[in-house]
Amino acid sequence: MIRFLLKEDLWKLWLDHDPSFGHKFIVYKHFRDKKYTVRSGIKYGGDFMLYAGDPNTAHAAYVVKVVVSDEPLWTDINALRRVSESVAKECVLAYVSFDDSADMSHPDCVENSTVTHVLLKRWIPERDREIVGKKIGKAERSALREIVGKNRKSE
């Protein structure tokens, strides 16, 4: 006998299996809507890998971690950042927020959600100082030196 499941039944089954499924699905859909090819990121410690093109012909540019709790475990995120850096991928943290009317136990919550993503990068002063110096002009650099000098004198 063939039994057909409604999307509500499937949603409940998936949530029972993985309580963070709703957040992960919403992030997956968000990046698919932005024309990324989304694959599993478990190999690199993330939830997803994002490919700008065909995964058979291009490397993933990003490893995505879906942050479900309000306070992510920073040791895990630091480990993810280190792994992603060692394999030349950018690390993205994805947060899902919901409207007040959203009910996570129902698949319609997807329509009442917003995804915010943050690119997590390591700042290397020796490397990034040159980049910053090129982006601002001579007058801005001079003003910045003056501000830094005043702050040092007041300490």
Side-chain angles (χ1 to χ4, degrees):
M1 180 168 100
I2 297 175
R3 180 177 172 222
F4 294 98
L5 295 175
L6 299 172
K7 70 178 182 179
E8 291 82 5
D9 298 329
L10 282 172
W11 188 264
K12 183 179 178 341
L13 282 172
W14 288 323
L15 280 176
D16 289 345
H17 176 70
D18 179 5
S20 64
F21 166 77
H23 289 80
K24 290 177 183 176
F25 178 79
I26 291 166
V27 171
Y28 172 87
K29 182 182 180 316
H30 170 78
F31 285 115
R32 288 291 296 155
D33 290 347
K34 293 194 173 296
K35 307 297 184 216
Y36 282 99
T37 301
V38 183
R39 296 286 188 257
S40 172
I42 198 165
K43 183 177 181 179
Y44 300 110
D47 293 308
F48 302 113
M49 300 297 297
L50 299 182
Y51 297 82
D54 180 11
N56 297 323
T57 60
H59 291 284
Y62 304 99
V63 59
V64 179
K65 179 69 177 168
V66 179
V67 180
V68 177
S69 66
D70 290 339
E71 301 219 5
L73 189 56
W74 287 106
T75 53
D76 291 344
I77 290 176
N78 190 41
L80 175 65
R81 185 200 52 80
R82 291 177 67 109
V83 169
S84 64
E85 188 174 300
S86 71
V87 293
K89 308 214 181 311
E90 299 283 352
C91 182
V92 176
L93 302 179
Y95 297 86
V96 180
S97 56
F98 298 95
D99 294 347
D100 292 334
S101 63
D103 176 13
M104 277 299 295
S105 64
H106 196 276
D108 289 343
C109 70
V110 173
E111 304 306 321
N112 300 321
S113 63
T114 306
V115 175
T116 304
H117 38 83
V118 178
L119 183 63
L120 193 61
K121 293 184 86 167
R122 180 173 161 220
W123 181 59
I124 303 171
E126 294 78 21
R127 181 187 68 198
D128 296 335
R129 184 175 306 151
E130 292 174 16
I131 294 170
V132 171
K134 290 178 184 174
K135 288 184 179 178
I136 63 174
K138 198 173 191 178
E140 290 89 352
R141 224 180 352 261
S142 175
L144 185 59
R145 282 191 193 116
E146 188 176 315
I147 292 168
V148 169
K150 286 179 184 177
N151 287 341
R152 286 186 181 157
K153 289 176 186 174
S154 65
E155 290 177 350

